[in-house]
Amino acid sequence: MPQYANSRHSGTGKPKFFVLDTNIILHDYKAIRKFQNNNLVIPMAVLEELDKFKKGNDALAYNARGFVRDIDRISDGKMFGRDGIPIGKGLGLIKIEPNHPFPEELRDLFIDDIQDHRILATAMWVRDTHPDSFTALVTKDINLRMKARAAGMEVQDYLTDKLEEEKIENTQKEVIDLALPGATLQKLAYGSGEGLDWRAVSSNEPKPNRIFNFSWKEDSGAERIQGRYDAERKKIVLVKSRTAYGIRPRNVEQKIALDACLNPAIPLVSLTGGAGTGKTLIALAAALEQEKDYDQIILSRPTVILGNQDIGFLPGDQKSKMSPYVQPLMDNLNVIRQQFSPSSRQALKIDAMLKEEKLLISPLAYIRGRSLGKVFFIVDEAQNLTPHEVKTIITRAGEGTKMVFTGDIFQIDQPYLDQWSNGLSHLGEKMDGQKVFEHIFLRKGERSELSELAAKLL
């Protein structure tokens, strides 16, 4: 767990004071339990902001309500007093602090009376009231961090769920390139299907589901083949080129991704990559190909709310309100449907599944609370989820359920997430090396030549 500390104060032994911004709580309502034995201050302005978020069924409302309940349980009817109340065993104190004005010399610097300024002013008051202790404002709002630094206030990001740059880069280097003797590769490609002993490839046992891209030592122009390490069998098995519901992989990465999505022994898959790399299309095609093995196929994506306006502010009935969120998923479904004639068995099957809701397309907020048993569950745009939300979704998985998370960690729409702190990055890093998990990073765009050129040049 990261230390929220400043090195010049680390030897004092005194608890530090951390003033939490609203977005920290909306990001992780259990954040107050992740600052070790340090003291926490919640400005009154934060409670006022949380009051605006608590209604609804989206993640922000869930976190706002969860925090308020937790604080109520901790206080148990007691007054916060001058120092605050204990958060729990081994943890520090927490206090709700009334709003305070800026120091006299800074009052002309922050003219607008807005909640961010009230929070910053209260943080500065806490610092000035405890001159012998380290005090910092903790916020995920970059603009507020800039304002705080300009005013001379120590400020930090929420570090607990922030991954290191190196770990993000490692999630894009899953495939290992190796040149092996032709006789060895012949055994993998055309043998009995038992696979290769991993010792023929590596001096150390590979991680489960590690992907290898093999080339012939004797013939550099020969077509490469791919293998996946099956940790159960202790063998490297061939990744075969397969077709799913009319969709055929166009490159090696798509081939590996489709193999993972079609493999019932891997119930959790993460597909990352830029626009047009085929992430969602491959996941959906694999789901349709295996529809007999599942009671339901669910395609979902988080609803990124604008200006904290719930989905209800959109005009029309419920179907009309859902349309902006589910249309990208419908576009992928239409690509698959177009592989067949309108009267074909496959096209009619898709229509019947939609009508009977065996194939359900829904915003993620409407999935909350469900127990997902024997479901093929695709979560699109998962980079807009927090680590806590991803954990909540996966813990809903029942027996026979497969989950595929897709997204691009460099295209995030949530204001307080980035490529280091979003749920999709955490999934790839935390689950790496588990037998139930495989992650594939897709690099090559296949939407169109124009799309790929624009992604590279613009």
Side-chain angles (χ1 to χ4, degrees), residues 21 23 26-27 116 139-142 414-418 421:
D21 191 7
N23 51 65
L26 294 176
H27 179 77
D116 278 359
T139 177
K140 298 191 74 65
D141 187 333
I142 297 175
Q414 292 284 18
Y416 303 124
L417 294 179
D418 54 33
S421 63

Side-chain angles (χ1 to χ4, degrees), residues 271-272 279-280 283 378-383 404-408 424:
L271 305 180
T272 61
K279 307 177 296 293
T280 309
I378 301 169
V379 181
D380 193 29
E381 302 289 347
Q383 77 277 4
V404 180
F405 289 80
T406 71
D408 180 3
L424 189 58

